[in-house]
Amino acid sequence: MNITSIIDFVRDVYKTDEFIPLHAPVFSGNEKAYVLDTLESTFVSSVGKYVDDFERKMEAYTGTARAVATVNGTAALSAALYLAGVKRGDLVVTQALTFVATCNALYHLGAEPVFTDVSPVSLGLCPVALDNWLTENTELTEHGCVHRKTRQVVRAAVPMHTFGHPVELDELIAVCKKWHIVLVEDAAESLGSFYKGKHTGTLGEYGALSFNGNKIITTGGGGMVFCRTPETGVRAKHVTTTAKVPHPYEFYHDEPGFNYRMPNLNAALGCGQMEQLGMFLEQKRVLAERYEAFFAGSEFKFVKEPEYAKSNYWLNAVICENLDSRDAILAQMNEAKVMVRPIWKLMHRLPMFERAMRDDLKQSERIEAHLVNLPSSPVEWLS
């Protein structure tokens, strides 16, 4: 299969000879009306009805006990890790094959990432690799799971649902229970993805979503913390709103908190987007099916959802034969104004995380050298 045929296929799907982005937002519902309503109300900041409405809509859709809206996805993950007990000097095991925000959230809490390999099935954190690293490097003590050499506490594991494909959560939960560490799901890319019928972000102790402009729905910026119990949800809301104790006029804060509140203006946009989520998911599934059929029998392997899951197919991807093939697609398709992207550079290749503990990362390095993301915007004629 030559690259020109791929370009022609994508242009036929999107019915345009103009520039095709990787993932563009679609505003075809009540977004404008709701945003204008916030302007007319003057409640454009962190107080207003749309924040509450957005949180309740997300709880109803995902089944989480409590959803707490934040200013962005990094803030959501940072808050989730803080609520999970992650402290300065702790170790947190995650994947090197992720967007940098996963590790930035750890860095700003003073924790250190440990990188273990991903699964070829999900492209997310591999439970076998996680268990192997813990077995080889840690021990259980009265203080929890402790690294044998540094004596640092391993506080949590953070799998990321890569491109919306759910990780092997049952197995990861079992490993975390065995080693007495907390599972926090980085579900930034996986709104609308389900693991064995349960929404991603709801099986760990906490989950974190992103509503950046390139996500399946957007609030411009924005994120959300999922909590497993109403009680932890109350605390999440408290610490993300500067830990202010309710009072008609006094300013009293009972602990250090974060100013992570989502503005009402952004939540209004999110409410309009949530009304269209089902349509977006349908369109993206049809798009994924068309890509899969197109690449069938070729040298390019389309990345499918795991058998145990239903993915939102946030970003479609193919695995190329080798690095040269990957680089040729990246160069020629971008030159033809069809945006394609490689997967992120592995975290241990970045200067701020190059000294992090890690295993051999064989699968991560293979995927880094072979994967290309394809245009994945939803469009109305695919529904």
Side-chain angles (χ1 to χ4, degrees):
M1 178 180 290
N2 61 52
I3 298 173
T4 300
S5 67
I6 302 174
I7 294 169
D8 290 342
F9 172 78
V10 175
R11 290 206 172 280
D12 180 64
V13 167
Y14 284 98
K15 304 184 188 303
T16 182
D17 291 326
E18 302 298 320
F19 171 74
I20 299 174
L22 188 67
H23 197 289
V26 176
F27 305 118
S28 57
N30 290 313
E31 293 93 341
K32 185 176 181 180
Y34 294 163
V35 169
L36 288 175
D37 184 47
T38 64
L39 296 178
E40 292 170 0
S41 74
T42 74
F43 288 98
V44 297
S45 192
S46 56
V47 176
K49 67 177 184 179
Y50 287 106
V51 176
D52 291 337
D53 288 349
F54 190 38
E55 290 175 343
R56 300 297 83 74
K57 286 177 185 291
M58 195 62 68
E59 289 164 3
Y61 178 77
T62 65
T64 188
R66 185 70 168 89
V68 177
T70 61
V71 69
N72 56 48
T74 304
L77 184 56
S78 177
L81 291 163
Y82 177 82
L83 291 162
V86 173
K87 300 177 178 64
R88 181 169 299 279
D90 285 348
L91 298 177
V92 175
V93 187
T94 189
Q95 54 203 72
L97 191 77
T98 188
F99 182 58
V100 71
T102 306
C103 295
N104 284 342
L106 295 173
Y107 176 84
H108 291 297
L109 287 173
E112 298 177 24
V114 174
F115 300 124
T116 58
D117 214 352
V118 296
S119 163
V121 175
S122 69
L123 309 187
L125 193 65
C126 174
V128 175
L130 173 62
D131 190 42
N132 286 345
W133 187 87
L134 291 168
T135 300
E136 293 167 7
N137 296 278
T138 71
E139 61 188 18
L140 287 176
T141 74
E142 60 183 302
H143 303 293
C145 183
V146 174
H147 190 268
R148 289 196 188 96
K149 291 184 178 179
T150 68
R151 308 314 295 172
Q152 292 169 281
V153 175
V154 181
R155 191 74 62 183
V158 181
M160 197 271 286
H161 302 292
T162 308
F163 309 141
H165 300 306
V167 296
E168 297 152 279
L169 280 163
D170 282 345
E171 293 83 355
L172 286 167
I173 290 169
V175 173
C176 289
K177 184 177 180 180
K178 171 184 174 182
W179 290 98
H180 299 188
I181 60 179
V182 182
L183 182 70
V184 176
E185 294 178 67
D186 184 345
E189 303 172 358
S190 63
L191 177 61
S193 296
F194 291 83
Y195 173 83
K196 297 183 180 179
K198 296 181 180 179
H199 197 282
T200 52
T202 68
L203 286 88
E205 288 301 312
Y206 297 94
L209 263 67
S210 169
F211 306 117
N212 188 38
N214 66 348
K215 296 300 189 292
I216 192 162
I217 71 165
T218 184
T219 59
M224 193 162 282
V225 182
F226 285 172
C227 306
R228 290 196 68 187
T229 68
E231 292 75 22
T232 54
V234 170
R235 175 155 169 74
K237 189 72 169 180
H238 183 61
V239 299
T240 58
T241 54
T242 69
K244 184 179 184 297
V245 177
H247 190 278
Y249 52 86
E250 292 285 358
F251 289 90
Y252 183 74
H253 308 260
D254 61 359
E255 63 176 307
F258 305 95
N259 188 10
Y260 282 171
R261 298 171 291 186
M262 175 182 282
N264 198 40
L265 199 64
N266 297 85
L269 184 61
C271 287
Q273 288 272 281
M274 275 298 290
E275 294 172 355
Q276 302 175 85
L277 177 58
M279 178 183 68
F280 294 158
L281 289 168
E282 179 184 348
Q283 292 169 359
K284 291 176 75 64
R285 181 158 290 271
V286 172
L287 177 60
E289 290 169 353
R290 291 192 61 176
Y291 273 130
E292 182 181 0
F294 175 74
F295 287 108
S298 75
E299 66 271 31
F300 300 100
K301 180 184 177 183
F302 179 73
V303 177
K304 295 174 59 176
E305 65 191 0
E307 291 184 359
Y308 54 76
K310 186 172 185 180
S311 173
N312 66 4
Y313 281 106
W314 172 56
L315 286 185
N316 291 291
V318 289
I319 303 293
C320 305
E321 281 190 303
N322 50 50
L323 181 62
D324 289 342
S325 174
R326 187 205 75 156
D327 288 349
I329 286 183
L330 290 171
Q332 293 180 43
M333 292 189 70
N334 280 295
E335 185 178 354
K337 297 183 179 180
V338 177
M339 184 182 285
V340 293
R341 287 288 184 267
I343 203 165
W344 317 279
K345 189 177 291 293
L346 297 181
M347 291 298 100
H348 70 286
R349 302 195 198 282
L350 304 181
M352 55 281 198
F353 304 121
E354 63 185 1
R355 295 186 178 181
M357 301 178 201
R358 58 184 182 269
D359 66 11
D360 61 22
L361 300 176
K362 284 185 178 179
Q363 288 290 344
S364 303
E365 291 181 349
R366 182 187 68 83
I367 294 166
E368 179 192 37
H370 291 76
L371 187 140
V372 171
N373 285 124
L374 303 165
S376 301
S377 305
V379 285
E380 60 182 344
W381 52 85
L382 288 172
S383 58

